[in-house]
Amino acid sequence: MHIHILTLFPNMFTAPFSESIVKRAIDRGLVEIAIHNIRDYTSDRHHVVDDSPYGGGPGMVLKPEPLFEAVTAIKGAGWEFGHSEKGEFELPVILLTPQGRLFDQRAAEGLSKYEEVILICGHYEGVDERVREHLVTDEISIGDYVLSGGELAAMVVVDSLVRQLPGALGSEEAVGEDSHSSGLLEYPQYTRPQSFRGWEVPEILLSGNHAEIARWRREQSLRRTIRRRPDLLERTALNDEERGLLAQMEREEY
Ligand code: ADE
C-alpha cells in the first residue's frame, strides 16, 4: 500500500511512524508512506500556501493551487480521478477535517483495501472550497472536536489502516480480537500475577476449558458494550447465543 500525506508540517510525522507496528510494516515493505510538504508545490517566490478569506473574516485559508499541484504530481500528469469498474474510487483523495464523516473501524477496513491513498491535512481556518468540490473524493473527521490541523488525524487514520494490512500484526496480535472489529468492545484481559494486591484473576480463565473461556469472553464483551457503548449494539449483528445473553442481561438489568 502507498500512502501519501500532504502537510505543512512534515516533521510532525517522524516519531509516530518510526515506532511499533507502523515502523515494522514499513520495514517489511507492506506500506510505503510518503510525506509531501505542501509548500514544495507552490510556484511563487515566497512559497505562499495560504491567504485571507474572500468576504473577510479572521484567519487564513489554504490556497487551492499547491494542493492541486501536489495531487497531480503524485498521480502523474493527465490523471483524472474517477470511479473504477466496481464503482469505487481508484485513488481516494481524503481531506482530514472536522467537517468530514466520522472515521470508524469499518471506514478503516474499507480504506485499507486500496493500493494507494492520498491524505490531505487541512490547517488554518480552512481550505478553499474548490479543493472540497473538485479535488477530494472524501472528507474524514476522527471525532467531534477541533484539532489544530489534520496531521494528528492523519496519523490516527494511517495507524488504523496499517494494522489491517495482512502481515502487519504478529500472530500474537490478532486484529479480529480488537475492540470494534466484531462490532463489540473487547473482553477484559489479565496476565500474571494471578493475585495482585489481593485482586484475583477470574477463575474461569485458569480453568483450561477453552469453550467455557470463549463463552465467558463473549458474555463479558457484550456486557461491557451494553454498559459503555449501547449505541454499538444497534449496528451489530448478534448470533443466537449473544441475543440470548443480551436478553438475560436485560432481565438482570445488567
Ligand atoms: N482537523 C481538525 N480537527 C479535525 C478532526 N476532528 N478530524 C480530522 N481532521 C481534523
Side-chain angles (χ1 to χ4, degrees), residues 21-194:
I21 289 168
V22 175
K23 175 186 190 305
R24 200 171 62 195
I26 294 169
D27 291 347
R28 286 179 179 172
L30 303 176
V31 63
E32 197 179 75
I33 305 176
I35 313 287
H36 306 267
N37 191 338
I38 296 168
R39 214 171 280 283
D40 293 343
Y41 296 91
T42 52
S43 48
D44 63 303
R45 209 154 55 90
H46 298 291
H47 301 290
V48 175
V49 291
D50 59 334
D51 208 337
S52 48
Y54 274 116
M60 300 293 268
V61 176
L62 269 185
K63 290 163 69 61
E65 305 98 307
L67 294 174
F68 276 78
E69 283 298 319
V71 171
T72 306
I74 290 165
K75 198 51 196 164
W79 167 72
E80 287 177 44
F81 67 79
H83 295 278
S84 69
E85 281 166 17
K86 286 179 285 174
E88 291 161 348
F89 286 109
E90 274 163 20
L91 172 63
V93 181
I94 295 164
L95 178 66
L96 283 313
T97 160
Q99 299 177 32
R101 73 186 161 96
L102 268 186
F103 192 62
D104 62 9
Q105 189 63 24
R106 206 174 306 162
E109 284 162 9
L111 268 187
S112 70
K113 307 274 179 330
Y114 288 95
E115 265 172 38
E116 195 168 19
V117 175
I118 299 180
L119 302 176
I120 302 178
C121 306
H123 241 275
Y124 306 111
E125 292 305 303
V127 175
D128 188 285
E129 190 65 16
R130 288 160 292 191
V131 169
R132 289 205 151 87
E133 287 176 352
H134 304 294
L135 184 66
V136 308
T137 60
D138 204 356
E139 298 181 35
I140 285 179
S141 163
I142 62 160
D144 291 336
Y145 40 80
V146 179
L147 301 165
S148 307
E151 282 75 12
L152 288 169
M155 291 173 207
V156 167
V157 169
V158 168
D159 189 282
S160 67
L161 289 191
V162 167
R163 51 186 292 115
Q164 301 295 321
L165 299 177
L169 300 185
S171 56
E172 74 282 8
E173 306 146 335
V175 71
E177 300 286 311
D178 281 348
S179 283
H180 296 293
S181 62
S182 66
L184 300 178
L185 300 182
E186 201 192 356
Y187 48 79
Q189 297 272 26
Y190 295 87
T191 187
R192 275 178 277 273
Q194 190 178 321

